[in-house]
Amino acid sequence: MSSRIRLLLSLVALASGMTFGVGRTDPALAPFAYLRPGRPLPASRPGERILLTVEGGPRTFRLTRAQLLALPTVRYATEHVHLRRTFTYDGVPLRDLAELGGFAGRDLRVYASNGFVTTLRARDYQAAPLMVAHTANGKPIPVIEKGPLAVVLPNDSARFPVRVYGAAWVWFVERITPVP
Protein backbone atom coordinates (compact mmCIF):
# COMPACT_ATOMS: atom_id res chain seq x y z
CA MET A 1 0.00 0.00 0.00
CA SER A 2 1.49 3.32 -0.98
CA SER A 3 2.15 6.06 1.56
CA ARG A 4 -0.44 8.17 -0.25
CA ILE A 5 -3.16 5.55 0.28
CA ARG A 6 -2.09 5.10 3.91
CA LEU A 7 -2.33 8.85 4.45
CA LEU A 8 -5.77 8.88 2.82
CA LEU A 9 -6.92 6.02 5.08
CA SER A 10 -5.63 7.84 8.14
CA LEU A 11 -7.45 11.02 7.15
CA VAL A 12 -10.67 9.13 6.42
CA ALA A 13 -10.39 7.35 9.76
CA LEU A 14 -9.75 10.60 11.59
CA ALA A 15 -12.60 12.43 9.85
CA SER A 16 -15.07 9.61 10.43
CA GLY A 17 -14.07 9.06 14.04
CA MET A 18 -12.74 5.55 13.42
CA THR A 19 -10.61 4.77 16.42
CA PHE A 20 -10.25 1.04 15.97
CA GLY A 21 -10.95 -0.10 19.47
CA VAL A 22 -9.63 2.83 21.45
CA GLY A 23 -11.58 5.71 22.94
CA ARG A 24 -14.94 4.91 21.40
CA THR A 25 -17.45 7.55 22.32
CA ASP A 26 -20.62 6.08 20.82
CA PRO A 27 -22.70 5.11 23.87
CA ALA A 28 -24.72 2.65 21.76
CA LEU A 29 -21.65 0.42 21.41
CA ALA A 30 -20.90 -2.00 24.20
CA PRO A 31 -17.29 -1.84 25.40
CA PHE A 32 -15.07 -4.72 24.34
CA ALA A 33 -11.96 -5.84 26.16
CA TYR A 34 -9.41 -5.34 23.39
CA LEU A 35 -6.14 -7.22 23.49
CA ARG A 36 -4.59 -4.39 21.52
CA PRO A 37 -5.78 -1.39 19.52
CA GLY A 38 -5.31 -1.08 15.79
CA ARG A 39 -2.05 0.05 14.26
CA PRO A 40 -1.38 1.55 10.82
CA LEU A 41 -1.90 -1.03 8.09
CA PRO A 42 1.40 -2.22 6.65
CA ALA A 43 1.81 -2.30 2.91
CA SER A 44 1.18 -5.70 1.36
CA ARG A 45 4.29 -7.36 0.01
CA PRO A 46 4.51 -8.68 -3.55
CA GLY A 47 2.98 -12.15 -3.71
CA GLU A 48 1.49 -11.91 -0.21
CA ARG A 49 -1.79 -13.84 -0.01
CA ILE A 50 -5.03 -11.90 0.40
CA LEU A 51 -7.04 -13.59 3.17
CA LEU A 52 -10.04 -11.29 3.54
CA THR A 53 -11.89 -8.85 1.31
CA VAL A 54 -14.11 -6.21 2.93
CA GLU A 55 -16.28 -4.60 0.28
CA GLY A 56 -19.56 -2.84 -0.30
CA GLY A 57 -18.76 0.48 1.30
CA PRO A 58 -16.97 3.45 -0.19
CA ARG A 59 -13.74 1.42 -0.55
CA THR A 60 -12.74 -2.20 -0.94
CA PHE A 61 -10.05 -3.59 1.35
CA ARG A 62 -8.08 -6.70 0.43
CA LEU A 63 -6.31 -7.70 3.61
CA THR A 64 -3.30 -9.95 4.13
CA ARG A 65 -2.50 -11.73 7.37
CA ALA A 66 -0.01 -9.00 8.32
CA GLN A 67 -2.68 -6.36 7.75
CA LEU A 68 -5.27 -8.30 9.78
CA LEU A 69 -2.75 -8.53 12.62
CA ALA A 70 -2.46 -4.73 12.55
CA LEU A 71 -6.20 -4.23 13.10
CA PRO A 72 -7.76 -4.05 16.59
CA THR A 73 -7.66 -7.44 18.25
CA VAL A 74 -9.76 -9.23 20.82
CA ARG A 75 -8.92 -12.53 22.49
CA TYR A 76 -11.09 -15.03 24.26
CA ALA A 77 -11.39 -18.76 24.85
CA THR A 78 -14.46 -20.46 23.47
CA GLU A 79 -15.50 -23.91 22.36
CA HIS A 80 -15.71 -24.23 18.60
CA VAL A 81 -19.22 -25.61 18.21
CA HIS A 82 -18.38 -27.76 15.19
CA LEU A 83 -14.99 -29.07 16.31
CA ARG A 84 -16.12 -29.52 19.95
CA ARG A 85 -12.75 -28.26 21.18
CA THR A 86 -11.85 -25.15 23.12
CA PHE A 87 -9.40 -22.68 21.63
CA THR A 88 -8.13 -19.28 22.67
CA TYR A 89 -8.80 -17.17 19.59
CA ASP A 90 -7.35 -13.82 18.52
CA GLY A 91 -9.12 -11.86 15.82
CA VAL A 92 -10.65 -8.67 14.55
CA PRO A 93 -14.12 -7.78 15.87
CA LEU A 94 -16.72 -7.72 13.12
CA ARG A 95 -17.80 -4.25 14.17
CA ASP A 96 -14.28 -2.96 13.47
CA LEU A 97 -14.26 -4.63 10.05
CA ALA A 98 -17.68 -3.12 9.28
CA GLU A 99 -16.37 0.26 10.42
CA LEU A 100 -13.30 -0.11 8.21
CA GLY A 101 -15.54 -1.01 5.26
CA GLY A 102 -17.78 2.01 5.84
CA PHE A 103 -20.92 0.06 6.68
CA ALA A 104 -20.90 -0.07 10.49
CA GLY A 105 -24.29 -0.76 12.03
CA ARG A 106 -25.61 -2.67 9.02
CA ASP A 107 -26.26 -6.40 8.89
CA LEU A 108 -23.35 -8.30 7.32
CA ARG A 109 -22.98 -11.09 4.81
CA VAL A 110 -20.06 -13.40 5.44
CA TYR A 111 -18.83 -15.52 2.53
CA ALA A 112 -16.68 -18.64 2.81
CA SER A 113 -14.43 -20.11 0.16
CA ASN A 114 -16.51 -23.32 0.20
CA GLY A 115 -19.60 -21.41 -1.03
CA PHE A 116 -21.28 -21.00 2.36
CA VAL A 117 -22.89 -17.58 3.00
CA THR A 118 -24.59 -16.35 6.15
CA THR A 119 -26.03 -13.12 7.50
CA LEU A 120 -24.97 -11.69 10.85
CA ARG A 121 -27.15 -9.10 12.52
CA ALA A 122 -25.67 -5.74 13.40
CA ARG A 123 -27.25 -5.85 16.85
CA ASP A 124 -25.20 -9.00 17.57
CA TYR A 125 -21.80 -7.86 16.33
CA GLN A 126 -22.23 -4.33 17.74
CA ALA A 127 -23.03 -5.62 21.24
CA ALA A 128 -20.64 -8.58 21.53
CA PRO A 129 -17.11 -9.24 20.30
CA LEU A 130 -17.95 -11.57 17.42
CA MET A 131 -14.67 -11.82 15.56
CA VAL A 132 -12.98 -12.97 12.43
CA ALA A 133 -10.34 -15.10 14.12
CA HIS A 134 -6.92 -15.40 12.52
CA THR A 135 -5.10 -17.09 15.40
CA ALA A 136 -5.95 -20.05 17.65
CA ASN A 137 -3.85 -20.92 20.68
CA GLY A 138 -1.15 -18.51 19.50
CA LYS A 139 -0.77 -19.94 15.99
CA PRO A 140 -2.33 -19.28 12.57
CA ILE A 141 -5.48 -21.39 12.21
CA PRO A 142 -4.80 -24.38 9.95
CA VAL A 143 -7.34 -25.46 7.35
CA ILE A 144 -7.99 -28.68 9.28
CA GLU A 145 -9.23 -26.48 12.18
CA LYS A 146 -11.46 -24.35 9.90
CA GLY A 147 -8.88 -21.65 9.05
CA PRO A 148 -7.14 -19.58 8.02
CA LEU A 149 -10.03 -17.27 9.02
CA ALA A 150 -13.18 -18.15 10.96
CA VAL A 151 -16.05 -16.22 12.52
CA VAL A 152 -16.00 -17.04 16.23
CA LEU A 153 -18.56 -16.20 18.92
CA PRO A 154 -17.98 -15.71 22.64
CA ASN A 155 -18.61 -18.59 25.01
CA ASP A 156 -22.12 -17.47 26.02
CA SER A 157 -24.70 -20.18 25.31
CA ALA A 158 -27.50 -18.08 26.82
CA ARG A 159 -26.81 -15.20 24.43
CA PHE A 160 -25.68 -17.28 21.43
CA PRO A 161 -27.42 -20.69 21.58
CA VAL A 162 -26.06 -23.12 19.00
CA ARG A 163 -29.53 -23.95 17.66
CA VAL A 164 -29.94 -20.29 16.62
CA TYR A 165 -26.32 -19.20 16.03
CA GLY A 166 -24.70 -22.38 14.70
CA ALA A 167 -24.60 -20.93 11.16
CA ALA A 168 -22.78 -17.85 12.47
CA TRP A 169 -19.67 -19.98 13.03
CA VAL A 170 -18.29 -19.54 9.52
CA TRP A 171 -15.01 -21.15 8.60
CA PHE A 172 -12.86 -20.51 5.52
CA VAL A 173 -14.02 -16.86 5.63
CA GLU A 174 -12.90 -14.88 2.60
CA ARG A 175 -15.26 -11.90 2.17
CA ILE A 176 -17.51 -9.59 4.19
CA THR A 177 -20.10 -7.21 2.72
CA PRO A 178 -23.12 -5.33 4.02
CA VAL A 179 -26.51 -6.90 3.35
CA PRO A 180 -27.95 -5.14 0.29
Side-chain angles (χ1 to χ4, degrees), residues 1-31:
M1 179 182 316
S2 74
S3 60
R4 184 178 213 183
I5 292 173
R6 233 182 310 209
L7 175 61
L8 177 63
L9 288 175
S10 297
L11 291 173
V12 168
L14 184 61
S16 67
M18 290 191 326
T19 56
F20 293 119
V22 179
R24 293 184 183 280
T25 58
D26 185 344
L29 298 180

Side-chain angles (χ1 to χ4, degrees), residues 12-172:
V12 168
L14 184 61
S16 67
M18 290 191 326
T19 56
F20 293 119
V22 179
R24 293 184 183 280
T25 58
D26 185 344
L29 298 180
F32 292 169
Y34 281 87
L35 177 64
R36 65 178 174 272
R39 302 181 298 262
L41 288 179
S44 59
R45 296 184 307 252
E48 196 172 12
R49 182 177 169 205
I50 301 299
L51 293 183
L52 180 66
T53 301
V54 179
E55 63 186 358
R59 296 214 44 233
T60 295
F61 291 88
R62 290 176 179 81
L63 302 168
T64 65
R65 178 168 175 78
Q67 291 169 326
L68 286 166
L69 292 172
L71 293 173
T73 302
V74 294
R75 172 184 287 165
Y76 52 82
T78 190
E79 182 181 5
H80 192 292
V81 298
H82 302 289
L83 296 174
R84 290 188 167 72
R85 290 178 42 213
T86 298
F87 297 89
T88 297
Y89 288 104
D90 292 7
V92 183
L94 283 167
R95 82 170 178 203
D96 290 292
L97 289 168
E99 188 173 317
L100 176 68
F103 43 86
R106 293 179 56 193
D107 291 351
L108 301 178
R109 287 264 161 82
V110 179
Y111 298 81
S113 61
N114 63 0
F116 183 77
V117 179
T118 197
T119 299
L120 299 175
R121 294 179 299 203
R123 71 177 188 198
D124 291 330
Y125 77 77
Q126 293 283 83
L130 280 64
M131 73 165 97
V132 172
H134 48 65
T135 303
N137 296 336
K139 298 178 183 167
I141 305 170
V143 171
I144 193 125
E145 292 176 349
K146 312 300 186 192
L149 299 178
V151 172
V152 173
L153 284 67
N155 189 20
D156 184 350
S157 58
R159 172 71 177 89
F160 300 111
V162 174
R163 71 184 189 294
V164 177
Y165 287 91
W169 286 78
V170 182
W171 57 83
F172 313 134

